[in-house]
Amino acid sequence: MERGAVQGAAWEPDRLTPRQIVAELDRYIVGQAEAKRAVAIALRNRWRRQQLPPHLRDEVAPKNILMIGPTGVGKTEIARRLARLTGAPFIKVEATKFTEVGYVGRDVESIIRDLLETAIRMVKAERVAAVEDRARAAADDRLLDVLVPPPRRRPQRAGSPWEMLLGSLGAGMPGPAEPARPEEEEDWRRHRQEAAARLRSGQLEDQVVEIEVEDQAPPMVDILGGPGLEEVTLNVQDLLKDWLPRRKRRRRLPVREAREVLAQEEAQKLIDMDQVVAEAIRRTEQAGIVFIDEIDKIAGRERGHGPDVSREGVQRDILPIVEGSTVMTRHGPVRTDHILFIAAGAFHIARPSDLIPELQGRFPIRVELQPLTRDDFKRILTEPDNALLRQYQALLATDGVELEFTPDAVEALADMAARANQQAENIGARRLHTLLERLLEPVAFDAPDALQGKVVVDAAFVRQRLEGVLQDQDLSRYIL
């Protein structure tokens, strides 16, 4: 029986239909309808698989996706937004980071280890949020103990010569103590209730208190070695953390900051990390998404031998993870059979057919993303929820500048972005970031000291700032 059938059965990916998924992606990404449809179907198929009988569920493998297209057209953003829609563990890796076994470089299995760590952080954050109220209440109790310390108990007086002799021999050692007097207890309770009322009303937020917290810094362990030994380092640190006593240190903080520190510490006590890890492993296996970028950089088949790291060797190392294997991590084994892999590359020089046949077969869905046009740039500037012009307007509004872009300014910016991509390297939508930074540089610098109020950006201002640089092709290669 698979792990998902035992633990965390209440969790499953969002039941979004493919049309709903595409509609959500359209809010942030312009165009690329074919790629959006492919990832929407892949995501829905994961939910469909969860509805199958257990004997058939394990037989249905995810249909991995290969995205082909130039930089800056939305490959990474589609995968990232897809993961956010479902709350699935997601990791983006560069294929060029990894190397063939036996050479210096990252071990490909670290992809799955990093994905699991991401899932653990996600599940832990959810569990911490679930116990937030209890953790803050416990933190307030600890703050009250600091603000109004309980009355100290006095040591008992020796009642006989023998007790007096033992008391003198054991001077400085803790001994039996008398309970606090009733009037002292009553006075302490009254002061504590008053302090609790002031704490709830926010009157003590700026008062500095001294609290005792656990030192979270793990012992530093340096191990020199080759690929894969980062896991050994982490295991040694875990062993030392379990064997060595937990160190505590005192910190002086305002009450508002001390409450957050203490609440985090109390939340750690309220959650079961074994359950967190088990749920994280389940989510990684059943809903994890790995985005492998720049896969075209390792495409190609060597025709000879040489000192360089074999690109085909890297592909063969990645293959077992993609086709389904068990990766050992410090939290336990993780199966990769149902993790969705999305690979992407520009493939300017290499072609998808240059990948080894076994790896090609593991990416049955191939979608080609189209280069962005002038009309696409206009839509990117204005339509998405996170449109670039809205971002700059919100940024400058914090300094009291009301930024307004006229329609002809948007037209001019889109036209210049398309021209710049034709004259220099085509970097897609990232060209708009470069143009807008140069366009708004004087406004961003003068605000708020020498500039306040409404600022209108029209086509004339755009041409004044950018036309000269765009016409000088040598200069535009360095600036734009």
Side-chain angles (χ1 to χ4, degrees):
M1 182 180 295
E2 63 179 3
R3 185 182 287 105
V6 180
Q7 297 180 3
W11 182 88
E12 61 182 6
D14 291 342
R15 301 183 182 184
L16 294 173
T17 66
R19 290 185 182 275
Q20 292 172 334
I21 295 169
V22 171
E24 286 294 319
L25 294 176
D26 284 340
R27 294 176 54 196
Y28 302 98
I29 302 162
V30 169
Q32 314 303 354
E34 185 182 355
K36 292 175 182 175
R37 288 170 64 93
V39 298
I41 294 171
L43 185 62
R44 181 63 178 183
N45 281 341
R46 310 188 85 177
W47 179 84
R48 290 165 178 158
R49 173 183 163 271
Q50 295 293 330
Q51 315 311 311
L52 297 176
H55 69 278
L56 187 58
R57 188 184 309 159
D58 285 340
E59 302 300 325
V60 178
K63 304 302 184 289
N64 299 321
I65 302 170
L66 177 62
M67 293 185 182
I68 305 167
T71 184
V73 297
K75 300 188 297 293
T76 306
E77 191 64 17
I78 287 174
R80 184 180 290 118
R81 292 289 173 184
L82 188 72
R84 290 182 184 178
L85 280 178
T86 63
F90 172 82
I91 186 173
K92 174 183 179 290
V93 298
E94 303 286 338
T96 52
K97 278 185 179 180
F98 303 97
T99 183
E100 185 180 5
V101 172
Y103 290 85
V104 176
R106 292 209 70 187
D107 177 14
V108 293
E109 291 188 350
S110 64
I111 297 174
I112 306 304
R113 290 194 286 264
D114 292 344
L115 181 65
L116 177 58
E117 293 296 333
T118 300
I120 290 174
R121 287 193 296 270
M122 291 175 57
V123 177
K124 185 177 177 181
E126 293 172 7
R127 300 294 170 88
V128 167
V131 299
E132 181 179 4
D133 292 340
R134 293 166 57 194
R136 293 183 73 86
D140 284 343
D141 286 340
R142 290 178 62 178
L143 280 173
L144 288 174
D145 290 339
V146 175
L147 294 167
V148 187
R152 293 184 177 180
R153 296 187 173 189
R154 298 179 304 278
Q156 291 182 353
R157 294 182 179 179
S160 65
W162 179 249
E163 291 176 349
M164 293 176 62
L165 176 61
L166 289 178
S168 62
L169 291 176
M173 297 179 62
E178 294 181 357
R181 296 173 181 174
E183 58 270 20
E184 291 177 344
E185 288 279 354
E186 184 64 29
D187 189 54
W188 171 72
R189 289 193 181 92
R190 180 171 53 81
H191 281 90
R192 187 179 176 90
Q193 291 174 356
E194 294 173 356
R198 295 175 64 193
L199 191 64
R200 286 193 297 269
S201 64
Q203 300 178 33
L204 304 177
E205 294 298 290
D206 296 324
Q207 181 173 334
V208 177
V209 294
E210 185 174 310
I211 59 174
E212 189 178 66
V213 296
E214 291 184 0
D215 192 355
Q216 299 294 332
M220 297 303 296
V221 180
D222 291 328
I223 296 180
L224 299 177
L229 283 186
E230 62 267 16
E231 189 75 6
V232 176
T233 303
L234 292 172
N235 284 335
V236 172
Q237 289 182 351
D238 285 345
L239 285 174
L240 291 178
K241 182 178 67 174
D242 293 337
W243 287 348
L244 297 177
R246 295 190 176 184
R247 295 180 299 176
K248 295 192 175 184
R249 59 192 180 103
R250 305 189 73 83
R251 297 180 62 183
R252 291 180 59 83
L253 297 169
V255 166
R256 61 164 54 86
E257 297 179 18
R259 182 187 291 109
E260 298 301 323
V261 173
L262 293 175
Q264 291 178 11
E265 195 171 284
E266 291 299 322
Q268 297 288 340
K269 300 175 183 177
L270 293 172
I271 61 176
D272 186 339
M273 282 306 298
D274 290 337
Q275 292 182 2
V276 168
V277 170
E279 173 66 9
I281 291 176
R282 193 183 78 87
R283 291 194 192 183
T284 300
E285 293 181 342
Q286 303 300 323
I289 299 175
V290 174
F291 183 81
I292 305 176
D293 204 3
E294 306 290 353
I295 198 168
D296 56 316
K297 302 301 187 295
I298 62 169
R301 304 180 194 173
E302 288 70 28
R303 299 293 183 262
H305 302 280
D308 294 335
V309 176
S310 164
R311 288 178 294 179
E312 184 175 334
V314 179
Q315 295 179 56
R316 294 197 179 279
D317 286 346
I318 292 176
L319 180 62
I321 296 177
V322 176
E323 66 183 3
S325 62
T326 301
V327 176
M328 296 303 300
T329 73
R330 64 192 180 113
H331 302 290
V334 176
R335 292 172 52 196
T336 67
D337 302 69
H338 301 290
I339 293 176
L340 177 65
F341 289 87
I342 302 175
F347 288 97
H348 289 310
I349 300 174
R351 297 171 298 174
S353 58
D354 290 330
L355 295 168
I356 60 175
E358 298 90 340
L359 195 59
Q360 290 183 48
R362 292 298 173 178
F363 290 91
I365 302 176
R366 298 185 186 181
V367 292
E368 186 172 352
L369 285 80
Q370 302 301 319
L372 299 177
T373 64
R374 179 178 177 275
D375 291 337
D376 291 331
F377 287 131
K378 286 174 55 179
R379 296 177 59 195
I380 291 170
L381 286 170
T382 57
E383 288 186 10
D385 289 1
N386 59 340
L388 285 176
L389 298 190
R390 294 177 189 171
Q391 294 180 28
Y392 281 93
Q393 287 171 330
L395 282 172
L396 290 171
T398 60
D399 276 332
V401 176
E402 183 185 350
L403 199 60
E404 180 182 336
F405 292 89
T406 62
D408 60 348
V410 176
E411 295 271 358
L413 276 169
D415 183 62
M416 289 186 175
R419 286 166 54 194
N421 277 345
Q422 290 175 358
Q423 294 176 7
E425 190 73 23
N426 186 355
I427 60 173
R430 295 186 179 94
R431 183 72 65 186
L432 292 172
H433 290 274
T434 308
L435 290 172
L436 283 170
E437 283 295 324
R438 182 162 182 83
L439 174 69
L440 299 176
E441 180 186 3
V443 179
F445 182 80
D446 290 337
D449 299 326
L451 185 63
Q452 289 281 316
K454 190 171 185 178
V455 175
V456 178
V457 177
D458 55 14
F461 181 73
V462 173
R463 285 192 290 269
Q464 174 192 346
R465 289 286 304 163
L466 300 177
E467 190 67 43
V469 177
L470 197 63
Q471 289 179 354
D472 189 340
Q473 294 191 19
D474 291 335
L475 188 60
S476 68
R477 290 178 182 274
Y478 289 97
I479 297 181
L480 299 182

